[in-house]
Amino acid sequence: MLMQNSSRHFFLAFVYSAAVAPACWALQMGQPPTLTPEGQKRVVDRQIRANVAKGYTDAHKKALSGSLSSLNGTCTWLIGLQDKENALKIAAEMDAADVANIYSAGLKKNIDAIAKTQYLNEPHTKELASRLKSARKIKLDGLLGLARTCYDANLLGYAFDLIGEMLATDPDDQVAHMALGEIKVGANWHTPFAAAQIHSGKSYVLGKGWVPMAAAERIGNGEWFEDNKWMTMAVADKLHADTEKPWVVETDNFILRSTDSRKQTIQIAERLEGIRHLCFRQFLEFFLRGSAKKGAEMLFNQSAPKKMLVYFFGTEEEYAQFCTKEMKGRDTSLLLQSAGFYSPSLHNCYFYRGEQPQAFMIPLMQHEVTHQVLGEFATGGNPPVWLAEGIAGVLEFATLDGQRKLTLPSGIDHTEVLHACELLDSGKLCSAGMMMNMSHAIFHSMNRRRNYAESAALCRFLLEMQNGAYSADFLECMSDYYRGVHGGAISLSDYLALDNAEIDKQFKAYLKAQMAKLPAKK
């Protein structure tokens, strides 16, 4: 382990003492002149986060330095044995960890000098495996030590990503899996829901979902078993196209009722879980607000209070019939203009596919399901419209990476940040204070598209501000809004120790910095 408890606490204590003076200075720079004891603690804690975040790149390199040194020794040993093939693999692994590592140039020169690779004998092969195992252990300890430092500083997103880096190093690492709340079944790790499915005798078939293990092969080949008989999947899809008998698919956090095909239904179910996973990752402080930390144990496994219900209609006609019949008292004309919505009163989401292109439907789904995930997790409050719509707008533009996992663009790469930059450039951006005090009616009736873009950009800024140092305060404020703390009579300024004018100033500075990254106009 890179940093034991005592040294880690010394590190945080040192940063804490170093933060007091800057915090007092900061209070004189456009922040409220007086703060409650809680507010004063927030300022100091935030300075600790700022210092850890600022030094994160160097700390990450230090966390990897031990394993790089070990791998360098192994690579040098292989070069001595003229094993060019394995030496190249290890050098590539070292470059992947740190492309600027101090060993790279020398190793490359010596590897290139090997004319013909020599293959290892059995004793050397066993020694190589032992050396690599030792280097990986050193790397895991270094990453875990840094993850705990970030966790203690309440930089939960940093810690979460380091856990992912640990799993990339060792897919079987117990500490990382337990931090994510996963359970080992046989040789593999699973979520509690998936583990329960396996224990009940089911297996997961791509495009079909969880099915009885005994029937998995036939279902995988395009059949379906229901009502004590086998049928083709086409017949089963037709059977469940009826709104009275939809497909019902359960996942870790959702129950999906769908009249679309089984294949499409499973794809939507997987996307719903992807949205919830990304939402949890991005807004960790929201979900873990008030959770007791257990010593050095990291916890990223807060479950949803109950399964969320989502309806997915296969046709626009089914969706329109539902809205007309079931959503009386709401502006059904507005609902019919959209491909879906979240109903706080019914607690459910409703979507249809029909002929809607994926490019339109999926961002909308990501926006509305974010409303559902947050609204169903923390209840009792009424968050301001800029916050509710802005935070959903942040996740709306998430995209799939090469591993089919949802990732969130930052800065100018985020669609709404780019839009806000254009608004600022044209003089059409309203102040942050005006946005944060905008009523629900005004937000949705005047410059609606601008308001959506600016609120999302403002939320993205607050999450990124000073390398995420303000993220915890922002998300804890959001959590308190959703829970109705103090009857909702709270203000973001109290959590950030910045008045609206200073928030607006820094927001616009952020947008200008993002604009500077754009190619120069010809």
Side-chain angles (χ1 to χ4, degrees):
M1 186 181 300
L2 177 69
M3 191 176 292
Q4 300 295 331
N5 283 344
S6 58
S7 59
R8 185 170 69 252
H9 291 160
F10 172 80
F11 169 79
L12 289 176
F14 172 78
V15 176
Y16 185 93
S17 62
V20 174
C24 295
W25 172 83
L27 288 175
Q28 301 173 20
M29 301 299 292
Q31 299 176 2
T34 57
L35 289 171
T36 64
E38 181 185 4
Q40 293 173 19
K41 183 179 184 302
R42 282 186 178 279
V43 171
V44 175
D45 288 346
R46 181 164 52 250
Q47 189 62 45
I48 291 173
R49 287 197 300 275
N51 289 345
V52 174
K54 184 178 180 180
Y56 178 80
T57 299
D58 289 338
H60 187 261
K61 287 184 177 181
K62 185 176 180 181
L64 298 178
S65 62
S67 65
L68 286 172
S69 176
S70 178
L71 288 172
N72 174 62
T74 298
C75 196
T76 301
W77 172 71
L78 289 168
I79 291 170
L81 294 173
Q82 299 292 288
D83 184 353
K84 187 172 187 176
E85 184 176 320
N86 280 315
L88 282 170
K89 290 179 181 178
I90 293 178
E93 181 179 341
M94 294 170 67
D95 286 344
D98 181 5
V99 70
N101 74 81
I102 60 175
Y103 311 106
S104 183
L107 290 177
K108 185 177 186 303
K109 179 181 178 180
N110 291 332
I111 292 172
D112 288 344
I114 299 175
K116 182 180 180 181
T117 190
Q118 300 295 316
Y119 294 100
L120 301 181
N121 58 29
E122 186 175 347
H124 284 154
T125 299
K126 289 182 179 179
E127 183 176 351
L128 175 60
S130 177
R131 284 171 173 264
L132 291 177
K133 182 178 180 180
S134 176
R136 304 268 156 73
K137 177 65 167 58
I138 295 171
K139 181 178 181 180
L140 288 170
D141 287 346
L143 292 172
L144 180 59
L146 180 56
R148 283 176 171 160
T149 296
C150 292
Y151 191 79
D152 288 345
N154 216 22
L155 284 169
L156 301 186
Y158 285 65
F160 189 92
D161 290 344
L162 285 163
I163 291 296
E165 197 171 339
M166 290 174 64
L167 288 176
T169 302
D170 179 8
D172 195 40
D173 186 79
Q174 181 177 349
V175 173
H177 282 291
M178 291 182 68
L180 297 176
E182 296 177 344
I183 301 169
K184 195 168 189 179
V185 182
N188 300 310
W189 292 86
H190 300 275
T191 64
F193 173 77
Q197 296 298 299
I198 294 169
H199 284 308
S200 69
K202 294 183 178 180
S203 62
Y204 196 82
V205 178
L206 292 177
K208 307 298 189 301
W210 289 104
V211 300
M213 196 173 296
E217 184 176 355
R218 291 186 68 172
I219 290 175
N221 290 330
E223 295 183 83
W224 187 256
F225 187 80
E226 192 167 339
D227 296 333
N228 294 316
K229 62 183 178 181
W230 285 96
M231 63 190 78
T232 65
M233 189 57 73
V235 170
D237 283 337
K238 185 175 181 180
L239 176 68
H240 292 288
D242 185 349
T243 55
E244 298 298 319
K245 196 177 181 180
W247 290 110
V248 180
V249 173
E250 185 176 357
T251 67
D252 290 79
N253 297 284
F254 295 90
I255 295 175
L256 175 62
R257 300 173 64 87
S258 167
T259 60
D260 211 318
S261 68
R262 179 77 183 186
K263 180 179 179 180
Q264 180 69 27
T265 298
I266 295 301
Q267 288 178 352
I268 294 300
E270 291 172 348
R271 177 55 69 97
L272 291 174
E273 279 300 326
I275 297 169
R276 199 269 177 183
H277 177 81
L278 182 62
C279 191
F280 193 80
R281 155 63 185 90
Q282 293 297 320
F283 311 141
L284 273 166
E285 291 84 355
F286 173 92
F287 292 100
L288 299 179
R289 175 77 158 142
S291 298
K293 293 183 178 180
K294 300 179 180 179
E297 182 182 355
M298 289 178 288
L299 303 174
F300 300 113
N301 55 354
Q302 189 82 344
S303 300
K306 61 180 180 180
K307 296 285 177 91
M308 292 168 281
L309 186 58
V310 175
Y311 289 81
F312 190 74
F313 301 101
T315 67
E316 184 177 2
E317 290 74 20
E318 291 172 347
Y319 172 82
Q321 289 173 10
F322 167 81
C323 291
T324 303
K325 180 181 179 181
E326 303 294 338
M327 301 306 294
K328 293 178 181 178
R330 291 194 54 169
D331 187 351
T332 53
S333 62
L334 185 61
L335 298 179
L336 293 175
Q337 294 174 27
S338 176
F341 63 96
Y342 162 60
S343 170
S345 59
L346 297 177
H347 307 286
N348 308 325
C349 272
Y350 304 87
F351 304 100
Y352 77 90
R353 182 170 68 93
E355 299 304 320
Q356 294 289 347
Q358 290 281 326
F360 170 73
M361 183 189 73
I362 292 299
L364 171 87
M365 180 177 291
Q366 291 174 177
H367 184 106
E368 297 300 324
V369 171
T370 299
H371 281 317
Q372 184 181 27
V373 170
L374 299 177
E376 297 304 310
F377 187 88
T379 60
N382 184 27
V385 62
W386 75 269
L387 179 57
E389 296 299 346
I391 209 69
V394 167
L395 253 70
E396 179 176 343
F397 295 96
T399 57
L400 292 173
D401 65 12
Q403 284 73 46
R404 303 291 295 170
K405 289 185 179 180
L406 279 174
T407 59
L408 192 59
S410 62
I412 199 68
D413 294 326
H414 193 286
T415 298
E416 299 297 53
V417 173
L418 177 60
H419 193 159
C421 287
E422 294 168 348
L423 290 169
L424 177 63
D425 192 45
S426 63
K428 297 179 180 178
L429 190 80
C430 73
S431 71
M434 184 181 297
M435 174 59 62
M436 290 188 287
N437 287 293
M438 196 174 290
S439 70
H440 188 277
I442 295 297
F443 186 98
H444 287 287
S445 62
M446 296 181 62
N447 300 306
R448 193 167 186 255
R449 179 67 192 97
R450 180 205 68 184
N451 298 336
Y452 269 93
E454 184 173 343
S455 62
L458 180 58
C459 288
R460 196 72 189 100
F461 155 68
L462 292 168
L463 291 167
E464 296 182 34
M465 189 178 179
Q466 289 192 20
N467 297 315
Y470 281 80
S471 179
D473 297 319
F474 168 54
L475 291 173
E476 288 175 1
C477 175
M478 184 172 86
S479 175
D480 289 351
Y481 265 128
Y482 272 83
R483 287 178 167 84
V485 173
H486 302 309
I490 57 179
S491 168
L492 179 62
S493 293
D494 294 334
Y495 290 76
L496 303 188
L498 297 169
D499 60 24
N500 286 349
E502 183 64 21
I503 294 173
D504 184 64
K505 177 183 176 181
Q506 295 200 32
F507 177 44
K508 288 175 179 175
Y510 164 81
L511 293 178
K512 289 177 181 178
Q514 299 305 314
M515 290 168 65
K517 299 176 184 179
L518 293 171
K521 295 181 180 179
K522 295 182 179 179

